[in-house]
Amino acid sequence: MTMEAIRAVTAVEEKGRAEKAEAEARVKQAIAEAEREGQSLLQKARREGAEHGRAMLKAAEERAAKAAEETAARARQESDALCSAAKGRLNEAADMIVGRVVKS
């Protein structure tokens, strides 16, 4: 081989090595960017998931509080009705007791 051919082959080999190194650097950079973007998306998804969970918990607590209020209101109404019924029968019960005591 002539010196010129050797130089040409050497230049092509060096150019190939440089292109390969450049391509490897671009790949590493692309991987790093993809990892950063992936981490960012993961953190965003976690935040959104936590916010969604808090919203669902708040809604459930509100529904539970409303149900508890409704149950307490029904219990008060039933208690008031029972008290009214008992008061209405109080005189009748007293008369019955007096009647039994007097008869004995």
Side-chain angles (χ1 to χ4, degrees):
M1 270 192 172
T2 66
M3 246 350 226
E4 189 61 35
I6 294 174
R7 285 188 193 126
V9 169
T10 303
V12 168
E13 287 176 346
E14 287 179 19
K15 183 179 178 184
R17 280 191 290 272
E19 288 175 354
K20 181 181 177 185
E22 185 179 316
E24 287 174 350
R26 284 194 307 262
V27 167
K28 286 180 184 178
Q29 182 179 1
I31 290 171
E33 288 175 12
E35 286 178 352
R36 279 192 301 273
E37 185 176 333
Q39 288 295 325
S40 175
L41 290 172
L42 180 61
Q43 289 174 353
K44 180 182 176 185
R46 285 181 177 158
R47 278 192 310 273
E48 289 174 356
E51 290 171 7
H52 182 67
R54 282 190 295 274
M56 289 178 62
L57 181 59
K58 182 179 178 185
E61 287 173 344
E62 289 172 356
R63 285 192 308 272
K66 183 177 179 182
E69 287 175 12
E70 291 171 356
T71 301
R74 278 195 309 273
R76 278 191 299 274
Q77 288 173 347
E78 290 174 7
S79 175
D80 291 345
L82 289 172
C83 284
S84 293
K87 286 179 184 177
R89 293 184 174 183
L90 186 61
N91 288 336
E92 183 182 324
D95 290 341
M96 187 174 81
I97 293 170
V98 168
R100 284 191 181 176
V101 170
V102 171
K103 286 182 182 178
S104 37

